[in-house]
Amino acid sequence: MAKRKMTSTNSINREKLNDLCGMEYAIDLLGGRWKLLILYKLENRALRFIELKKILPGITDRMLTLQLRELEKDGLLHRTVYPEVPPRVEYRLTDSAEKLIPVWKALERWGDAHREVQLPG
Amino acid sequence: MAKRKMTSTNSINREKLNDLCGMEYAIDLLGGRWKLLILYKLENRALRFIELKKILPGITDRMLTLQLRELEKDGLLHRTVYPEVPPRVEYRLTDSAEKLIPVWKALERWGDAHREVQLPG
DNA sequence: TACGCCACACACAAAAATGTAAGTAATGGC
DNA sequence: GCCATTACTTACATTTTTGTGTGTGGCGTA
């Protein structure tokens, strides 16, 4: 997710779609295994690295770091470092990320409902 | 996206998150380069394979086939085959997929707004 | 007979996402 | 001095996603 070969068709297609519509741009920022879940966990309060790690089942240090970095870069998280030892770093949603709350709630409701419908298959 | 090694940590994490919440389940069904865009194009009318291909910039036969197959399997698309030559196959949204329309519209609005905010960075 | 049409299928290759294992710095407590 | 704590980093390996190129069937048209 970090380093991309900007000349690949894959990359070019991604960019084309990003330019094309805000939906694909959003998917690009929010896609992947952990990102929406991280935002979701931060919905009510700021959390520090280790707290996120505890409540995200199975995530590794490396993946958590990567995802937090990208979310920060993309303007979805604020990162606050407290100069203590051992270190304390807190993450919280940006205003823009908070505007997404109703969207992921709707997605969650749809997912739950759709799963019911799909159970036979 | 089709064949997965069900014993990998990757796969296991995916399943864990799917069980955990409808949001991750939804992301799993809708994620990837093309799926939401395909649904989006089908919002107003059914389209056949070749029509989709024309309006999805850069997609290949193979990717379109794969994505359509999965969307069908996951209950988001109906596939109708007309026994003609050359073949005609039409795709349209299921009821469940139509319930997603407001969600992707909201996502699109958010994406457009967020992109404005992010322009400097 | 040759060709184009359409909706694919197949074998293969490249790129991207995710995971594994180990190590780091600074400090406080024992 | 030794260990625990926290938020990382780095090199590497695996898995998953995406793309490339070619082929197929059956019918209509040239």
Coordinates of all heavy atoms in Angstrom, one line a residue, chain C residues 2 4-7 10 13 15 17-22 25-27 29:
Chain C
dA2 P -10.5 -20.3 -45.8 OP1 -9.2 -20.9 -46.2 OP2 -11.2 -20.8 -44.6 O5' -10.3 -18.7 -45.7 C5' -10.9 -17.8 -46.6 C4' -11.4 -16.6 -45.9 O4' -12.8 -16.7 -45.8 C3' -10.8 -16.4 -44.5 O3' -10.4 -15.1 -44.4 C2' -12.0 -16.7 -43.6 C1' -13.2 -16.4 -44.4 N9 -14.4 -17.1 -44.1 C8 -14.6 -18.4 -43.9 N7 -15.8 -18.8 -43.6 C5 -16.5 -17.6 -43.7 C6 -17.9 -17.3 -43.6 N6 -18.8 -18.2 -43.3 N1 -18.3 -16.0 -43.7 C2 -17.4 -15.1 -44.0 N3 -16.0 -15.3 -44.2 C4 -15.7 -16.6 -44.0
dG4 P -11.9 -9.9 -39.3 OP1 -11.0 -8.7 -39.6 OP2 -11.3 -11.0 -38.5 O5' -13.2 -9.4 -38.7 C5' -14.2 -8.8 -39.5 C4' -15.5 -8.8 -38.7 O4' -16.1 -10.1 -38.7 C3' -15.4 -8.4 -37.2 O3' -16.4 -7.5 -36.9 C2' -15.5 -9.7 -36.5 C1' -16.4 -10.6 -37.4 N9 -16.2 -12.0 -37.4 C8 -15.0 -12.7 -37.4 N7 -15.1 -14.0 -37.3 C5 -16.4 -14.2 -37.2 C6 -17.2 -15.4 -37.1 O6 -16.7 -16.6 -37.1 N1 -18.5 -15.2 -37.0 C2 -19.1 -13.9 -37.0 N2 -20.5 -13.9 -36.9 N3 -18.5 -12.8 -37.1 C4 -17.1 -13.0 -37.2
dC5 P -16.3 -6.7 -35.4 OP1 -16.7 -5.3 -35.7 OP2 -15.0 -7.0 -34.8 O5' -17.4 -7.4 -34.6 C5' -18.8 -7.4 -35.0 C4' -19.5 -8.5 -34.2 O4' -19.0 -9.8 -34.6 C3' -19.3 -8.3 -32.7 O3' -20.5 -7.8 -32.2 C2' -19.1 -9.8 -32.2 C1' -19.3 -10.6 -33.5 N1 -18.3 -11.7 -33.6 C2 -18.8 -13.1 -33.6 O2 -20.0 -13.2 -33.4 N3 -17.9 -14.1 -33.7 C4 -16.6 -13.8 -33.8 N4 -15.8 -14.9 -33.9 C5 -16.1 -12.5 -33.9 C6 -17.0 -11.5 -33.8
dC6 P -20.5 -6.9 -30.8 OP1 -21.7 -6.1 -30.7 OP2 -19.1 -6.2 -30.7 O5' -20.5 -8.0 -29.7 C5' -21.7 -8.8 -29.6 C4' -21.5 -10.0 -28.7 O4' -20.5 -10.8 -29.3 C3' -20.9 -9.6 -27.3 O3' -22.0 -10.0 -26.4 C2' -19.7 -10.5 -27.2 C1' -19.8 -11.5 -28.3 N1 -18.6 -12.0 -28.9 C2 -18.4 -13.4 -29.1 O2 -19.2 -14.2 -28.6 N3 -17.3 -13.9 -29.6 C4 -16.3 -13.0 -30.1 N4 -15.2 -13.5 -30.7 C5 -16.5 -11.6 -30.0 C6 -17.6 -11.1 -29.4
dA7 P -22.0 -9.4 -25.0 OP1 -23.4 -9.3 -24.6 OP2 -21.1 -8.3 -24.9 O5' -21.4 -10.7 -24.2 C5' -22.1 -11.9 -24.2 C4' -21.3 -13.0 -23.7 O4' -20.2 -13.2 -24.7 C3' -20.6 -12.7 -22.4 O3' -20.7 -13.9 -21.5 C2' -19.2 -12.5 -22.7 C1' -19.0 -13.4 -23.9 N9 -17.9 -13.2 -24.8 C8 -17.3 -12.0 -25.1 N7 -16.3 -12.0 -25.9 C5 -16.2 -13.4 -26.1 C6 -15.3 -14.2 -26.9 N6 -14.3 -13.6 -27.6 N1 -15.4 -15.5 -27.0 C2 -16.4 -16.0 -26.2 N3 -17.3 -15.4 -25.5 C4 -17.1 -14.1 -25.5
dC10 P -11.6 -22.8 -18.0 OP1 -11.9 -24.2 -18.0 OP2 -11.8 -22.0 -16.7 O5' -10.1 -22.6 -18.4 C5' -9.7 -23.0 -19.7 C4' -8.3 -22.5 -20.0 O4' -8.3 -21.1 -20.4 C3' -7.4 -22.6 -18.7 O3' -6.3 -23.6 -18.9 C2' -6.8 -21.2 -18.6 C1' -7.2 -20.5 -19.9 N1 -7.6 -19.1 -19.7 C2 -7.0 -18.1 -20.5 O2 -6.1 -18.4 -21.3 N3 -7.3 -16.8 -20.3 C4 -8.3 -16.5 -19.4 N4 -8.6 -15.2 -19.3 C5 -8.9 -17.4 -18.6 C6 -8.6 -18.7 -18.8
dA13 P 5.3 -17.2 -17.0 OP1 6.4 -17.1 -17.9 OP2 5.3 -18.0 -15.8 O5' 4.7 -15.7 -16.7 C5' 4.5 -14.8 -17.8 C4' 4.2 -13.5 -17.2 O4' 2.9 -13.4 -16.6 C3' 5.2 -13.1 -16.1 O3' 5.6 -11.7 -16.4 C2' 4.5 -13.2 -14.8 C1' 3.1 -12.9 -15.3 N9 2.0 -13.5 -14.4 C8 1.9 -14.8 -14.0 N7 0.8 -15.0 -13.3 C5 0.2 -13.8 -13.3 C6 -1.0 -13.4 -12.6 N6 -1.8 -14.2 -11.9 N1 -1.4 -12.1 -12.8 C2 -0.6 -11.3 -13.5 N3 0.6 -11.5 -14.1 C4 0.9 -12.8 -13.9
dA15 P 5.5 -4.9 -12.9 OP1 5.5 -3.8 -13.8 OP2 6.7 -5.4 -12.3 O5' 4.5 -4.7 -11.7 C5' 3.1 -4.4 -12.1 C4' 2.3 -4.5 -10.8 O4' 2.3 -5.9 -10.3 C3' 2.8 -3.7 -9.6 O3' 1.8 -2.8 -9.4 C2' 3.0 -4.7 -8.5 C1' 2.2 -5.8 -8.9 N9 2.5 -7.2 -8.5 C8 3.7 -7.9 -8.7 N7 3.7 -9.1 -8.2 C5 2.4 -9.2 -7.7 C6 1.8 -10.3 -7.1 N6 2.4 -11.5 -6.9 N1 0.5 -10.1 -6.7 C2 -0.1 -9.0 -6.9 N3 0.4 -7.9 -7.5 C4 1.7 -8.1 -7.9
dA17 P -1.7 -1.7 -2.7 OP1 -3.0 -1.0 -2.7 OP2 -0.5 -1.1 -2.3 O5' -2.0 -3.0 -1.8 C5' -3.1 -3.8 -2.0 C4' -3.1 -4.9 -1.0 O4' -2.0 -5.8 -1.2 C3' -3.1 -4.5 0.5 O3' -4.1 -5.2 1.1 C2' -1.7 -5.0 1.0 C1' -1.4 -6.1 0.0 N9 0.1 -6.3 -0.3 C8 0.9 -5.3 -0.8 N7 2.1 -5.8 -1.0 C5 2.0 -7.1 -0.7 C6 3.0 -8.2 -0.7 N6 4.2 -8.0 -1.1 N1 2.6 -9.4 -0.3 C2 1.3 -9.6 0.1 N3 0.3 -8.7 0.2 C4 0.8 -7.5 -0.3
dT18 P -4.4 -5.0 2.7 OP1 -5.8 -5.3 2.9 OP2 -3.9 -3.7 3.1 O5' -3.5 -6.1 3.3 C5' -3.9 -7.5 3.1 C4' -2.8 -8.4 3.7 O4' -1.5 -8.2 3.1 C3' -2.5 -8.1 5.2 O3' -3.0 -9.2 5.9 C2' -1.0 -8.0 5.3 C1' -0.5 -8.5 4.0 N1 0.7 -8.0 3.5 C2 1.8 -8.8 3.3 O2 1.8 -10.0 3.6 N3 3.0 -8.2 2.9 C4 3.1 -6.9 2.6 O4 4.2 -6.4 2.1 C5 1.9 -6.0 2.7 C7 2.0 -4.6 2.4 C6 0.8 -6.6 3.2
dG19 P -2.8 -9.4 7.5 OP1 -3.9 -10.3 8.0 OP2 -2.6 -8.1 8.1 O5' -1.4 -10.2 7.6 C5' -1.4 -11.5 7.0 C4' 0.0 -12.1 7.2 O4' 1.0 -11.4 6.5 C3' 0.5 -12.1 8.7 O3' 1.0 -13.4 9.0 C2' 1.6 -11.0 8.8 C1' 2.1 -11.1 7.4 N9 2.8 -9.9 6.9 C8 2.2 -8.7 6.7 N7 3.1 -7.8 6.2 C5 4.3 -8.5 6.1 C6 5.6 -8.1 5.6 O6 5.9 -7.0 5.2 N1 6.5 -9.2 5.7 C2 6.2 -10.4 6.1 N2 7.2 -11.3 6.1 N3 5.0 -10.8 6.5 C4 4.1 -9.8 6.5
dT20 P 1.6 -13.8 10.4 OP1 1.2 -15.2 10.6 OP2 1.2 -12.8 11.4 O5' 3.1 -13.7 10.2 C5' 3.8 -14.5 9.3 C4' 5.3 -14.6 9.6 O4' 5.9 -13.4 9.1 C3' 5.6 -14.6 11.1 O3' 6.6 -15.6 11.2 C2' 6.1 -13.2 11.4 C1' 6.7 -12.8 10.1 N1 6.6 -11.3 9.8 C2 7.8 -10.7 9.3 O2 8.8 -11.3 9.1 N3 7.6 -9.4 9.0 C4 6.5 -8.6 9.2 O4 6.5 -7.4 8.9 C5 5.3 -9.3 9.7 C7 4.1 -8.6 9.9 C6 5.5 -10.6 10.0
dA21 P 7.0 -16.1 12.7 OP1 7.3 -17.6 12.6 OP2 6.0 -15.6 13.7 O5' 8.4 -15.3 12.9 C5' 9.3 -15.3 11.9 C4' 10.4 -14.3 12.2 O4' 10.0 -13.0 11.8 C3' 10.7 -14.2 13.7 O3' 12.1 -14.4 13.9 C2' 10.3 -12.8 14.1 C1' 10.4 -12.1 12.8 N9 9.6 -10.9 12.7 C8 8.3 -10.7 13.1 N7 7.8 -9.5 12.9 C5 8.8 -8.9 12.2 C6 8.9 -7.6 11.7 N6 7.9 -6.7 11.7 N1 10.1 -7.2 11.1 C2 11.1 -8.1 11.1 N3 11.1 -9.4 11.6 C4 9.9 -9.7 12.1
dA22 P 12.7 -14.6 15.4 OP1 13.6 -15.7 15.3 OP2 11.7 -14.5 16.4 O5' 13.6 -13.3 15.5 C5' 14.5 -12.9 14.5 C4' 14.7 -11.4 14.5 O4' 13.5 -10.7 14.2 C3' 15.1 -10.9 15.9 O3' 16.5 -10.6 15.8 C2' 14.4 -9.6 16.0 C1' 13.6 -9.4 14.7 N9 12.3 -8.8 14.9 C8 11.2 -9.4 15.5 N7 10.1 -8.6 15.6 C5 10.6 -7.5 14.9 C6 9.9 -6.3 14.6 N6 8.7 -6.0 15.0 N1 10.6 -5.3 14.0 C2 11.9 -5.6 13.6 N3 12.6 -6.7 13.9 C4 11.9 -7.6 14.5
dA25 P 19.4 2.3 19.2 OP1 20.5 3.0 18.4 OP2 19.7 1.4 20.3 O5' 18.5 3.5 19.9 C5' 17.7 4.3 19.1 C4' 16.7 5.0 20.0 O4' 15.6 4.1 20.4 C3' 17.4 5.4 21.3 O3' 17.1 6.8 21.6 C2' 16.8 4.5 22.4 C1' 15.5 4.1 21.8 N9 15.1 2.7 22.1 C8 15.9 1.6 22.2 N7 15.3 0.5 22.5 C5 13.9 0.9 22.6 C6 12.8 0.2 22.9 N6 12.7 -1.1 23.2 N1 11.6 0.9 22.9 C2 11.6 2.2 22.7 N3 12.7 3.0 22.4 C4 13.8 2.3 22.4
dA26 P 18.1 7.6 22.6 OP1 18.3 8.9 22.0 OP2 19.2 6.7 23.0 O5' 17.2 7.8 23.8 C5' 15.9 8.4 23.7 C4' 15.0 8.0 24.9 O4' 14.7 6.6 24.8 C3' 15.8 8.2 26.2 O3' 15.0 9.2 27.0 C2' 15.8 6.9 26.9 C1' 14.7 6.1 26.1 N9 14.9 4.7 26.0 C8 16.0 4.0 25.7 N7 15.8 2.7 25.7 C5 14.5 2.5 26.0 C6 13.7 1.4 26.2 N6 14.1 0.1 26.0 N1 12.4 1.6 26.5 C2 11.9 2.8 26.7 N3 12.6 4.0 26.6 C4 13.9 3.7 26.2
dT27 P 15.7 9.8 28.3 OP1 15.2 11.2 28.4 OP2 17.1 9.5 28.4 O5' 14.9 9.0 29.4 C5' 13.5 9.0 29.5 C4' 13.0 7.9 30.3 O4' 13.4 6.6 29.7 C3' 13.6 7.9 31.7 O3' 12.6 8.3 32.6 C2' 14.0 6.4 32.0 C1' 13.4 5.7 30.8 N1 14.1 4.5 30.3 C2 13.5 3.3 30.3 O2 12.3 3.2 30.8 N3 14.2 2.2 29.9 C4 15.5 2.2 29.4 O4 16.0 1.2 29.0 C5 16.1 3.5 29.3 C7 17.5 3.6 28.8 C6 15.4 4.6 29.8
dG29 P 10.0 4.9 38.9 OP1 8.7 5.2 39.5 OP2 11.2 5.6 39.4 O5' 10.2 3.3 39.0 C5' 9.2 2.4 38.6 C4' 9.7 1.0 38.8 O4' 10.8 0.7 37.9 C3' 10.2 0.7 40.2 O3' 9.7 -0.5 40.7 C2' 11.7 0.7 40.1 C1' 11.9 0.2 38.7 N9 13.1 0.6 38.0 C8 13.6 1.9 38.0 N7 14.7 2.0 37.3 C5 15.0 0.7 36.9 C6 16.0 0.1 36.1 O6 17.0 0.7 35.7 N1 15.9 -1.2 36.0 C2 14.9 -2.0 36.4 N2 14.9 -3.3 36.2 N3 13.9 -1.5 37.1 C4 14.0 -0.2 37.3

